[in-house]
Amino acid sequence: MSTASDTARAVLAITDLTVDLPAGGDRPQAVRRISFEVKAGEIVCLLGESGSGKSVIGQTVMGLLADGLIPSRGSVRLLGEEVLQATAGRLNELRGARMAMVFQEPATALNPVMRCGDQVDEMLARHTRLSARERRARILAMFERVRLPDSERIFRAYPHQLSGGQRQRIVIAIALILKPALLICDEPTTALDVTTQAEILALIRELKDANGTAVLFVTHDFGVVAEIADRVVVLRLGDMVEQGAAASVLSAPREAYTRALIASVPGRTPPERRPVPHARPRIEAIGVGKSYVVRSLLGPPRTVSAAEDISLGVRPGETVGIVGESGSGKSTLARCMARLIAPTSGEMRVDGIPVAHATGKVLSALRRKVQVVFQDPYRSLNPRLTVGASIIEGPVNFGVSPREARERARALMHLVRLAPDALERYPSEFSGGQRQRICIARALACEPEVLIADEAVSALDVSVQAQILALLDEVQQRLGISILFITHDLNVASQICDRIVVMRAGRIVEQGATREVFLSPREPYTRTLLASAPGRAFFERQHPASAL
């Protein structure tokens, strides 16, 4: 139990917090009677499954709750000041100056039509009396501090001109430019590859130590928790299950729910996979390349190669994983193989039929055979359509009767662990992890022969992730479906993939059987990827055979 003096030293003190959900929700409250503190120079991780209330707590502190969510009980004190009673004007004064938030998806957190430097400058212009020259100097210094290369160029760049890791650094720079006492990080590394993730985690630790910042870190990634947390608060369906020192909770959890979460975390040693019968690849790329012409007002057009001379195939019943850093060409290759974009060079075949430049009926047939589950479920679903309408749209377009498509959709809801009444609701009524399950159901509704999963489980908590991986394995065994699995999560890749393809700068660096690549990597780049994954000691403790 915290004493009064402990509370006085806390940067953030949450006491008995309850936030009500609108009528008709899954439960009456988003969070119920939550109490914990975050002290200066401390990182507290909120850990739990999708829908547990982690993000709601962060949004409550920032005064950013969506309409209909109402704090009905409790207290949220920032440096002793009650946030729940603050006016809109006072909250605007507190945001940035005393508390700041780093959101999960930097692409949606940044204004796409403003230069990156100007977006940081907004914070300084609002809260300080510095001159334009002084503000610019401070921004450039912050860019260097968050390890952004060529800070002058970054200052002038637009968000779309930067990589995912660079955009996330811009968001961190905006959050930290005024040295707030509290930094809230809502899944800031979920969408990042392992090397960039390691850099961002190290950066947050470094800035926390240098400034004495209190950090509230929302995550579902146990590797991240093991790497960065001082203390852990475990949530389940809005209730606090347990809290304590990170080392104690991770090594000797008291509650059955926490133990179940930890048991769901995949190990790093690839299991023995069932043999895949030798057969002609169902989908294959032969010397595929993709380049783009980048035009600029300041110089002549230049050609950028996103993928070059890629050759690989996926046989019936086989799962091939593609791993690599951001910008390595993984998603470009996936889009070429799904024919969402046409390759610049090379050939692609589905069931032996050339499709690289297919049109008309050939392309339409390909669309049914090859389905894609994208990384971002927020942009994958039409917000104006119910979940049921989104799922049946594809099958109906391919000739399935609406009634049959609806029955198939209801069965798929059970498969992805959602209630059938979810079909009548809209995407905005679901958490990110739930939306991704809906996206997977939508792809499976067309009964494809090939499923391309582009970071399809990166947004899911470990228990749901385990369920989805088991689901994909079940579907594959039943239907003989071929899966091209793109991921930056090496633990997931090790558990589900028969073969691994490692990409770097648009080229294949190494490929082979998963156990061979993970246990005896030939290339230095592959070894660097494996060494960069967070939480190595935790995974070795949970899965002693996982030491690589």
Side-chain angles (χ1 to χ4, degrees):
M1 180 68 66
S2 297
T3 66
S5 60
D6 289 334
T7 302
R9 290 198 302 270
V11 172
L12 175 67
I14 294 178
T15 307
D16 209 24
L17 176 65
T18 297
V19 177
D20 292 343
L21 286 169
D26 291 338
R27 56 183 190 265
Q29 291 92 28
V31 293
R32 287 181 292 270
R33 310 196 72 167
I34 303 299
S35 299
F36 66 89
E37 299 172 352
V38 189
K39 296 182 173 63
E42 181 182 47
I43 298 178
V44 174
C45 280
L46 296 183
L47 180 63
E49 295 177 284
S50 175
S52 64
K54 306 185 300 295
S55 294
V56 168
I57 292 173
Q59 291 162 5
T60 302
V61 175
M62 292 293 295
L64 297 175
L65 281 176
D67 292 341
L69 294 178
I70 302 171
S72 59
R73 179 188 181 114
S75 170
V76 176
R77 302 186 73 83
L78 176 67
L79 296 171
E81 179 176 352
E82 180 56 62
V83 173
L84 296 183
Q85 302 302 321
T87 64
R90 180 54 180 161
L91 284 173
N92 283 334
E93 292 174 358
L94 293 174
R95 295 186 194 117
R98 293 195 178 182
M99 60 180 177
M101 193 165 188
V102 178
F103 296 94
Q104 176 175 354
E105 178 48 68
T108 55
L110 295 172
N111 188 329
V113 299
M114 285 183 66
R115 297 182 188 274
C116 293
D118 292 337
Q119 298 194 50
V120 186
D121 187 60
E122 271 192 326
M123 188 73 75
L124 291 174
R126 176 184 292 271
H127 292 282
T128 74
R129 296 182 179 180
L130 296 174
S131 68
R133 176 178 293 182
E134 290 171 325
R135 296 198 305 268
R136 182 184 179 88
R138 183 177 290 191
I139 293 167
L140 293 175
M142 177 57 74
F143 282 176
E144 292 180 4
R145 192 172 184 190
V146 298
R147 299 195 186 93
L148 281 165
D150 192 357
S151 55
E152 288 282 358
R153 178 185 66 82
I154 296 290
F155 190 99
R156 298 189 301 271
Y158 290 95
H160 73 272
Q161 296 174 307
L162 307 180
S163 70
Q166 290 173 335
R167 286 195 293 265
Q168 194 62 288
R169 284 179 169 86
I170 294 292
V171 174
I172 292 173
I174 293 172
L176 293 177
I177 193 68
L178 293 174
K179 298 183 179 179
L182 174 68
L183 179 65
I184 301 174
C185 299
D186 190 358
E187 302 276 13
T189 62
T190 294
L192 303 179
D193 58 75
V194 289
T195 52
T196 305
Q197 185 181 62
E199 293 170 1
I200 294 296
L201 294 178
L203 172 63
I204 290 172
R205 281 198 307 268
E206 177 187 323
L207 296 173
K208 179 265 298 185
D209 292 338
N211 299 333
T213 307
V215 180
L216 181 62
F217 200 102
V218 176
T219 186
H220 64 258
D221 189 325
F222 275 85
V224 170
V225 173
E227 192 77 18
I228 201 171
D230 297 307
R231 289 192 300 115
V232 174
V233 176
V234 183
L235 301 172
R236 183 191 185 198
L237 296 176
D239 293 318
M240 188 171 69
V241 175
E242 72 175 287
Q243 65 172 306
S248 298
V249 173
L250 294 180
S251 61
R254 299 188 307 271
E255 300 298 325
Y257 174 71
T258 311
R259 292 195 293 272
L261 278 183
I262 293 175
S264 298
V265 178
R268 288 191 177 169
T269 297
E272 293 286 353
R273 299 278 294 174
R274 60 185 180 277
V276 177
H278 184 75
R280 182 181 69 183
R282 179 166 279 160
I283 186 169
E284 59 183 327
I286 305 168
V288 164
K290 180 63 180 178
S291 59
Y292 298 92
V293 176
V294 179
R295 304 182 187 279
S296 171
L297 295 175
L298 303 178
R302 59 191 179 93
T303 300
V304 176
S305 178
E308 190 172 348
D309 195 25
I310 303 294
S311 295
L312 62 88
V314 188
R315 294 173 291 175
E318 183 180 37
T319 299
V320 174
I322 302 180
V323 301
E325 294 176 286
S326 175
S328 63
K330 306 187 301 295
S331 293
T332 297
L333 174 61
R335 283 162 171 73
C336 284
M337 297 190 77
R339 264 309 312 275
L340 298 178
I341 55 176
T344 308
S345 60
E347 184 54 84
M348 291 184 5
R349 295 174 183 159
V350 175
D351 290 334
I353 299 172
V355 296
H357 304 285
T359 58
K361 292 183 178 180
V362 175
L363 186 58
S364 179
L366 169 70
R367 292 280 184 261
R368 182 166 190 173
K369 289 182 177 181
V370 181
Q371 288 286 305
V372 184
V373 180
F374 295 98
Q375 177 177 353
D376 187 353
Y378 289 88
R379 291 187 288 181
S380 296
L381 296 169
N382 187 333
R384 296 183 178 182
L385 294 181
T386 64
V387 166
S390 290
I391 291 176
I392 71 172
E393 183 179 26
V396 169
N397 286 342
F398 289 121
V400 177
S401 71
R403 182 176 181 178
E404 182 183 347
R406 194 81 180 177
E407 288 302 313
R408 189 182 297 175
R410 291 181 65 85
L412 286 168
M413 285 295 96
H414 289 292
L415 275 176
V416 298
R417 311 302 190 267
L418 289 173
D421 63 9
L423 296 173
E424 310 306 323
R425 296 160 60 189
Y426 289 87
S428 61
E429 300 177 62
F430 297 90
S431 69
Q434 290 169 328
R435 293 188 208 199
Q436 192 64 292
R437 282 183 269 176
I438 292 166
C439 291
I440 291 171
R442 183 180 61 176
L444 293 176
C446 291
E447 297 184 338
E449 295 179 4
V450 178
L451 185 67
I452 298 177
D454 188 359
E455 300 283 8
V457 297
S458 64
L460 304 180
D461 55 75
V462 290
S463 57
V464 176
Q465 190 179 80
Q467 293 169 6
I468 294 298
L469 296 179
L471 168 64
L472 292 176
D473 189 62
E474 175 188 332
V475 170
Q476 187 176 60
Q477 289 191 55
R478 190 173 71 233
L479 303 177
I481 195 171
S482 303
I483 300 176
L484 187 64
F485 197 90
I486 297 164
T487 184
H488 65 258
D489 191 325
L490 298 178
N491 292 353
V492 169
S494 73
Q495 299 303 300
I496 194 173
C497 298
D498 300 296
R499 288 191 294 120
I500 291 290
V501 175
V502 183
M503 291 188 66
R504 183 185 189 189
R507 287 181 170 273
I508 293 178
V509 174
E510 180 172 356
Q511 63 177 309
T514 301
R515 286 183 64 84
E516 176 185 324
V517 172
F518 271 74
L519 299 179
S520 302
R522 300 189 307 272
E523 299 297 323
Y525 176 71
T526 308
R527 292 194 289 271
T528 298
L529 280 183
L530 294 171
S532 298
R536 181 186 181 96
F538 166 74
F539 287 108
E540 291 178 358
R541 185 170 62 249
Q542 292 303 122
H543 306 275
S546 297
L548 298 181

